[in-house]
Amino acid sequence: TNEATVELCSVTVDCTVASRFAHTVMTSVAVNKVNSSQEIFFEVELPKTAFITNFSMEIEGQVYVGEVKEKEKAKKQYEKAVSSGQTAGLVKASGRKMEKFSVSVNIAAQSNVTFILTYEELLQRKLGQYEILTRVKPKSLVQKFQIVTNIYEPQGLSYVDAHATFLSNELLPLVEKTVSDKKAHISFSPTVEQQRKCPGCDGTLIDGDFIIKYDVNRVKGLGDIQIVNGYFVHFFAPPDLPRVPKNVVFVIDRSGSMSGIKMQQTRQALLEILKDLDEEDHFAIIQFDSDIESWKESLTKATKENVAAGMDYAGNIKDRGATNINDGVLRGVNMLIQDRQEKRLPERSADMIILLTDGMPNHGESNITKIQENVRSAIGGNMSLFCLGFGDDVDYSFLDVMSKQNKGLARRIFEASDATLQLQGFYQEVSSPLLLEVDLHYPDNAVDFLTTNHFSQLFNGSEIVVAGRLLDNGVENFLVEVFGQGFEEDFKVQGQASAVDWNEMYPDEEYIFGDFTERLWAYLTIQQLLEKSKSGPSDEKSNATAKALDMSLQYSFVTPLTSMVVTKPETEDGPDSPLIADKLTEEQRQLADKKQLYTGLINQYVRPVQTAYAASPTYFVDGD
Amino acid sequence: PHFMIELPDREDALCFNINDKPGTIFNLVRDPTSGILVNGQTIGDKMIPPDGHVNTYFCRFGIVHQTLGVRLEVSTQDISVFQDNKWVKLQWSETASLKGPNVDLLLTKDRSLTVTLKDSVKFVILLHKVWKKHPYHRDYLGFYTLDSHLLSPVVHGLLGQFYHGIAFEVTDLRPGEVPEKPDATMYVKERQLNVTRGWQRDFRKDVKNGENVPCWFIHSNGTGLIDGNVTDYIVSGLF
């Protein structure tokens, strides 16, 4: 807002989590204090894993509500608005975890405006915890500032931790946390005086991330199944399972574009990762540019001596040449296949390839579709491929599709000083498989519209979630079976799922948000359909896209296939104009990050320090 | 004129020459989102030098910021600025500083003009003054982008297309025609190019002699590195 001509009456963030499904409502009320109309901005950041579900503005008693529309239709409306010179609101990428939603409206003199943004997400268990991240940047002091989070977990809470990046010793006691067995209440509500940076000044201390981390009690055997309002959700992450040994081939890109800091961070991360290998694991290191070079011709048991020798080798990887991803990965695949055939690897163990590259194959096979085909057919469903896409130029969707086609995951590694930690973090997530080929069975005559119920691995610290619709809304229980391959024996459990009575469990609470199990199911289904629309067989792709679009519209989720359209009020300057909120894809975020990285470099550059010139790009034309 | 894309984070640079008939106007930067346009017109030497090679240089730049309503015409003779609905003319023979609501100019006598267009782009135009009685050469200009981070992702043009970075790899270094200029293979924009290691000069610190910047030289008017063909960048007028 402009100086003190706008008063922020209140900012409230109200988050309710029921069985990992988080529903957040951000409300801001502002008053235009001057005697003329002026533009007021509402800008909030939300997790990129969240879907916006609603947005409204109340101006002079009139409420303008957002409507989720098919993206193409909304785009047409948007284009029309732009061509007639009107403005449109957009969602933009903001850092690694968040995206920014921003709108502005013209407010009449001495009147107020209320903005309400609602978004929902299924919290993912990573490294043994769920995280609720709320970014608050009110820019000025707020009469009533409040963050309230209520967590309802029928499984019981094992711990809840709340902290914020802006908490000083004075603000710390203001975080109130009440935790009982199945419920947690966390609130933070500083007064105007407590928000102040210093006595008498207008600056606010409230600027940063408010983070809540928690975990639930792990349920042995079958896991936790909840049946609510005709839908069920099954959370499976049993405790105390021994880890399955792994056979991991690290395929490392050492091409010219990895030169400098990227290569250095890769070496550092590899050294740390190798150090963490378990003695029961087997490992191999392959480095590639236009040539493929492997440390040893087969996988090596991770004894202390072998790990030390591997670290010696990894510490000497140097950049050179072009990028032959195809042959690098295939060498790794063949090595695993051959070692399996020659029975050099434990029978019950997980085979995985971890590819680290900054992309852009340009030697050997450089057609990415062909590489995907080659890798898929060589792997033949027998191992997992995890891809780490390093830097801003990497073709992330190529790696994303390739890993999903091969029972794996891709992750972007951002070029920054903490890239080593990002690499290690990803490795930790996938380094401890507990079960392989996990199947979750439900009776066909009781449930349908199941989300994915087969998983190649269950990793330590993560959680498998399956949801579905009950055929008979009155079903109170049904038989559930889980199969998987464990370390020494098969994992096989069966049991009865039974309905949870939320009213009994939380007698003092009002209706939390009744349809959350259905919305959780819808969220999960849409996410999986969106993945299938990118990496599934071609005949399934268009079907998956169409279904995902239908469901996004039905449940009012702003996904990459839909947009939210809000019609701005008419102003003196012109007629109504639509505001459009989109969901960014990872590729769009990458483009934005690239721009930010560039901005960072340029910012260094424009400082009046002569030496800074050496660290920034220059584009020029001059005489020969 | 020689074009240079310096990438210090890779400790490397790319360069290419563009040669066409004197008088041709090229588009250097075009950002439809912010309404920025930079075009430049070339001139040739006074007469054909003994080596028979006709060099061209930029002698006139036309810069437009549609949204801000700013226009600039910079030639080797003088500088004209249009803002707030009026034209202001400056001479290279003066030192001046002009601060407007939308554009800041800093003119250093007979040497450089630094232009900052509000919330969009900052650049420097260098004046290369050549001895008036030189048998072949004449005055020419250089254009250096200092800050373009606010331009949109769709920015294009002979320089603009590189403003958001470029990914490339160089391999297969081999002896070239000249011993100190080896050849290599460059992979860029899904193409494979034969490039030569050479250097071009950056005249910002030393307008007379310049500083050598080693770079990978892309032959044939930057073919393969630039999007499309050089003729795609020819425009009919300075504005």
Side-chain angles (χ1 to χ4, degrees), chain B residues 95-114:
Chain B
T95 289
S97 166
L98 224 147
K99 272 192 180 294
N102 296 323
V103 62
D104 291 348
L105 299 177
L106 178 66
L107 174 61
T108 308
K109 183 180 180 321
D110 287 335
R111 187 188 162 94
S112 68
L113 171 74
T114 307

PDB file of all heavy atoms in Angstrom, chain B residues 95-114:
ATOM      1  N   THR B  95      28.903  17.642 -21.616  1.00  0.00           N
ATOM      2  CA  THR B  95      28.650  16.692 -20.529  1.00  0.00           C
ATOM      3  C   THR B  95      27.343  17.118 -19.889  1.00  0.00           C
ATOM      4  O   THR B  95      27.168  18.294 -19.580  1.00  0.00           O
ATOM      5  CB  THR B  95      29.805  16.735 -19.504  1.00  0.00           C
ATOM      6  OG1 THR B  95      30.936  16.145 -20.119  1.00  0.00           O
ATOM      7  CG2 THR B  95      29.472  15.935 -18.254  1.00  0.00           C
ATOM      8  N   ALA B  96      26.424  16.206 -19.738  1.00  0.00           N
ATOM      9  CA  ALA B  96      25.117  16.604 -19.223  1.00  0.00           C
ATOM     10  C   ALA B  96      24.486  15.478 -18.429  1.00  0.00           C
ATOM     11  O   ALA B  96      24.805  14.305 -18.608  1.00  0.00           O
ATOM     12  CB  ALA B  96      24.202  16.979 -20.390  1.00  0.00           C
ATOM     13  N   SER B  97      23.603  15.873 -17.537  1.00  0.00           N
ATOM     14  CA  SER B  97      22.848  14.881 -16.770  1.00  0.00           C
ATOM     15  C   SER B  97      21.396  15.319 -16.791  1.00  0.00           C
ATOM     16  O   SER B  97      21.078  16.454 -16.466  1.00  0.00           O
ATOM     17  CB  SER B  97      23.391  14.839 -15.345  1.00  0.00           C
ATOM     18  OG  SER B  97      22.507  14.156 -14.535  1.00  0.00           O
ATOM     19  N   LEU B  98      20.540  14.436 -17.218  1.00  0.00           N
ATOM     20  CA  LEU B  98      19.128  14.800 -17.366  1.00  0.00           C
ATOM     21  C   LEU B  98      18.288  13.794 -16.609  1.00  0.00           C
ATOM     22  O   LEU B  98      18.359  12.585 -16.879  1.00  0.00           O
ATOM     23  CB  LEU B  98      18.800  14.699 -18.858  1.00  0.00           C
ATOM     24  CG  LEU B  98      17.984  15.779 -19.503  1.00  0.00           C
ATOM     25  CD1 LEU B  98      18.449  15.932 -20.936  1.00  0.00           C
ATOM     26  CD2 LEU B  98      16.522  15.422 -19.481  1.00  0.00           C
ATOM     27  N   LYS B  99      17.549  14.262 -15.622  1.00  0.00           N
ATOM     28  CA  LYS B  99      16.711  13.326 -14.860  1.00  0.00           C
ATOM     29  C   LYS B  99      15.255  13.638 -15.119  1.00  0.00           C
ATOM     30  O   LYS B  99      14.786  14.718 -14.812  1.00  0.00           O
ATOM     31  CB  LYS B  99      16.998  13.449 -13.364  1.00  0.00           C
ATOM     32  CG  LYS B  99      18.134  12.562 -12.897  1.00  0.00           C
ATOM     33  CD  LYS B  99      18.174  12.518 -11.383  1.00  0.00           C
ATOM     34  CE  LYS B  99      19.300  11.649 -10.877  1.00  0.00           C
ATOM     35  NZ  LYS B  99      19.153  10.249 -11.182  1.00  0.00           N
ATOM     36  N   GLY B 100      14.556  12.692 -15.692  1.00  0.00           N
ATOM     37  CA  GLY B 100      13.135  12.904 -15.959  1.00  0.00           C
ATOM     38  C   GLY B 100      12.315  11.890 -15.178  1.00  0.00           C
ATOM     39  O   GLY B 100      12.878  11.017 -14.524  1.00  0.00           O
ATOM     40  N   PRO B 101      10.992  12.000 -15.246  1.00  0.00           N
ATOM     41  CA  PRO B 101      10.160  11.037 -14.510  1.00  0.00           C
ATOM     42  C   PRO B 101      10.293   9.619 -15.065  1.00  0.00           C
ATOM     43  O   PRO B 101      10.136   8.652 -14.344  1.00  0.00           O
ATOM     44  CB  PRO B 101       8.739  11.570 -14.701  1.00  0.00           C
ATOM     45  CG  PRO B 101       8.806  12.480 -15.884  1.00  0.00           C
ATOM     46  CD  PRO B 101      10.198  12.987 -15.973  1.00  0.00           C
ATOM     47  N   ASN B 102      10.595   9.515 -16.336  1.00  0.00           N
ATOM     48  CA  ASN B 102      10.627   8.189 -16.953  1.00  0.00           C
ATOM     49  C   ASN B 102      11.988   7.783 -17.492  1.00  0.00           C
ATOM     50  O   ASN B 102      12.216   6.621 -17.795  1.00  0.00           O
ATOM     51  CB  ASN B 102       9.628   8.137 -18.114  1.00  0.00           C
ATOM     52  CG  ASN B 102       8.214   8.309 -17.619  1.00  0.00           C
ATOM     53  OD1 ASN B 102       7.878   7.810 -16.557  1.00  0.00           O
ATOM     54  ND2 ASN B 102       7.410   9.039 -18.359  1.00  0.00           N
ATOM     55  N   VAL B 103      12.863   8.773 -17.665  1.00  0.00           N
ATOM     56  CA  VAL B 103      14.158   8.445 -18.245  1.00  0.00           C
ATOM     57  C   VAL B 103      15.266   9.304 -17.620  1.00  0.00           C
ATOM     58  O   VAL B 103      15.064  10.473 -17.346  1.00  0.00           O
ATOM     59  CB  VAL B 103      14.116   8.592 -19.790  1.00  0.00           C
ATOM     60  CG1 VAL B 103      13.806  10.013 -20.210  1.00  0.00           C
ATOM     61  CG2 VAL B 103      15.412   8.138 -20.428  1.00  0.00           C
ATOM     62  N   ASP B 104      16.400   8.657 -17.333  1.00  0.00           N
ATOM     63  CA  ASP B 104      17.573   9.383 -16.849  1.00  0.00           C
ATOM     64  C   ASP B 104      18.662   9.256 -17.900  1.00  0.00           C
ATOM     65  O   ASP B 104      18.880   8.168 -18.439  1.00  0.00           O
ATOM     66  CB  ASP B 104      18.119   8.757 -15.556  1.00  0.00           C
ATOM     67  CG  ASP B 104      17.185   8.974 -14.389  1.00  0.00           C
ATOM     68  OD1 ASP B 104      16.257   9.789 -14.520  1.00  0.00           O
ATOM     69  OD2 ASP B 104      17.392   8.313 -13.354  1.00  0.00           O
ATOM     70  N   LEU B 105      19.332  10.379 -18.179  1.00  0.00           N
ATOM     71  CA  LEU B 105      20.428  10.353 -19.146  1.00  0.00           C
ATOM     72  C   LEU B 105      21.690  10.883 -18.491  1.00  0.00           C
ATOM     73  O   LEU B 105      21.633  11.856 -17.725  1.00  0.00           O
ATOM     74  CB  LEU B 105      20.120  11.247 -20.353  1.00  0.00           C
ATOM     75  CG  LEU B 105      18.899  10.923 -21.198  1.00  0.00           C
ATOM     76  CD1 LEU B 105      18.745  11.978 -22.274  1.00  0.00           C
ATOM     77  CD2 LEU B 105      19.040   9.556 -21.829  1.00  0.00           C
ATOM     78  N   LEU B 106      22.803  10.250 -18.775  1.00  0.00           N
ATOM     79  CA  LEU B 106      24.069  10.762 -18.301  1.00  0.00           C
ATOM     80  C   LEU B 106      25.004  10.771 -19.494  1.00  0.00           C
ATOM     81  O   LEU B 106      25.371   9.718 -20.018  1.00  0.00           O
ATOM     82  CB  LEU B 106      24.617   9.856 -17.185  1.00  0.00           C
ATOM     83  CG  LEU B 106      25.971  10.259 -16.624  1.00  0.00           C
ATOM     84  CD1 LEU B 106      25.873  11.596 -15.902  1.00  0.00           C
ATOM     85  CD2 LEU B 106      26.468   9.196 -15.648  1.00  0.00           C
ATOM     86  N   LEU B 107      25.332  11.983 -19.926  1.00  0.00           N
ATOM     87  CA  LEU B 107      26.149  12.124 -21.129  1.00  0.00           C
ATOM     88  C   LEU B 107      27.556  12.552 -20.734  1.00  0.00           C
ATOM     89  O   LEU B 107      27.739  13.568 -20.061  1.00  0.00           O
ATOM     90  CB  LEU B 107      25.496  13.167 -22.043  1.00  0.00           C
ATOM     91  CG  LEU B 107      26.266  13.578 -23.290  1.00  0.00           C
ATOM     92  CD1 LEU B 107      26.496  12.395 -24.219  1.00  0.00           C
ATOM     93  CD2 LEU B 107      25.515  14.676 -24.043  1.00  0.00           C
ATOM     94  N   THR B 108      28.533  11.766 -21.101  1.00  0.00           N
ATOM     95  CA  THR B 108      29.930  12.109 -20.853  1.00  0.00           C
ATOM     96  C   THR B 108      30.536  12.553 -22.181  1.00  0.00           C
ATOM     97  O   THR B 108      30.499  11.791 -23.154  1.00  0.00           O
ATOM     98  CB  THR B 108      30.702  10.905 -20.289  1.00  0.00           C
ATOM     99  OG1 THR B 108      29.977  10.402 -19.177  1.00  0.00           O
ATOM    100  CG2 THR B 108      32.103  11.280 -19.852  1.00  0.00           C
ATOM    101  N   LYS B 109      31.009  13.752 -22.161  1.00  0.00           N
ATOM    102  CA  LYS B 109      31.495  14.418 -23.379  1.00  0.00           C
ATOM    103  C   LYS B 109      32.319  13.491 -24.299  1.00  0.00           C
ATOM    104  O   LYS B 109      33.284  12.869 -23.860  1.00  0.00           O
ATOM    105  CB  LYS B 109      32.356  15.617 -22.928  1.00  0.00           C
ATOM    106  CG  LYS B 109      32.924  16.498 -23.997  1.00  0.00           C
ATOM    107  CD  LYS B 109      33.717  17.594 -23.273  1.00  0.00           C
ATOM    108  CE  LYS B 109      34.381  18.605 -24.125  1.00  0.00           C
ATOM    109  NZ  LYS B 109      35.011  18.344 -25.321  1.00  0.00           N
ATOM    110  N   ASP B 110      31.872  13.439 -25.529  1.00  0.00           N
ATOM    111  CA  ASP B 110      32.594  12.709 -26.586  1.00  0.00           C
ATOM    112  C   ASP B 110      32.894  11.246 -26.256  1.00  0.00           C
ATOM    113  O   ASP B 110      33.845  10.667 -26.772  1.00  0.00           O
ATOM    114  CB  ASP B 110      33.925  13.398 -26.915  1.00  0.00           C
ATOM    115  CG  ASP B 110      33.694  14.685 -27.695  1.00  0.00           C
ATOM    116  OD1 ASP B 110      32.643  14.778 -28.363  1.00  0.00           O
ATOM    117  OD2 ASP B 110      34.538  15.590 -27.598  1.00  0.00           O
ATOM    118  N   ARG B 111      32.119  10.679 -25.364  1.00  0.00           N
ATOM    119  CA  ARG B 111      32.505   9.344 -24.923  1.00  0.00           C
ATOM    120  C   ARG B 111      31.318   8.387 -24.775  1.00  0.00           C
ATOM    121  O   ARG B 111      31.246   7.367 -25.457  1.00  0.00           O
ATOM    122  CB  ARG B 111      33.242   9.489 -23.593  1.00  0.00           C
ATOM    123  CG  ARG B 111      33.846   8.215 -23.102  1.00  0.00           C
ATOM    124  CD  ARG B 111      34.387   8.420 -21.689  1.00  0.00           C
ATOM    125  NE  ARG B 111      34.572   7.122 -21.098  1.00  0.00           N
ATOM    126  CZ  ARG B 111      35.704   6.456 -21.111  1.00  0.00           C
ATOM    127  NH1 ARG B 111      36.765   6.984 -21.670  1.00  0.00           N
ATOM    128  NH2 ARG B 111      35.795   5.269 -20.548  1.00  0.00           N
ATOM    129  N   SER B 112      30.382   8.725 -23.884  1.00  0.00           N
ATOM    130  CA  SER B 112      29.322   7.744 -23.623  1.00  0.00           C
ATOM    131  C   SER B 112      28.021   8.407 -23.197  1.00  0.00           C
ATOM    132  O   SER B 112      28.004   9.518 -22.667  1.00  0.00           O
ATOM    133  CB  SER B 112      29.768   6.776 -22.527  1.00  0.00           C
ATOM    134  OG  SER B 112      29.861   7.462 -21.303  1.00  0.00           O
ATOM    135  N   LEU B 113      26.951   7.680 -23.436  1.00  0.00           N
ATOM    136  CA  LEU B 113      25.630   8.124 -22.994  1.00  0.00           C
ATOM    137  C   LEU B 113      25.011   6.957 -22.240  1.00  0.00           C
ATOM    138  O   LEU B 113      24.816   5.872 -22.796  1.00  0.00           O
ATOM    139  CB  LEU B 113      24.755   8.471 -24.213  1.00  0.00           C
ATOM    140  CG  LEU B 113      23.287   8.743 -23.904  1.00  0.00           C
ATOM    141  CD1 LEU B 113      23.119  10.103 -23.228  1.00  0.00           C
ATOM    142  CD2 LEU B 113      22.441   8.694 -25.176  1.00  0.00           C
ATOM    143  N   THR B 114      24.718   7.171 -20.951  1.00  0.00           N
ATOM    144  CA  THR B 114      24.070   6.124 -20.158  1.00  0.00           C
ATOM    145  C   THR B 114      22.584   6.458 -20.070  1.00  0.00           C
ATOM    146  O   THR B 114      22.219   7.571 -19.697  1.00  0.00           O
ATOM    147  CB  THR B 114      24.680   6.048 -18.742  1.00  0.00           C
ATOM    148  OG1 THR B 114      26.081   5.920 -18.897  1.00  0.00           O
ATOM    149  CG2 THR B 114      24.140   4.860 -17.966  1.00  0.00           C
TER     150      THR B 114
END
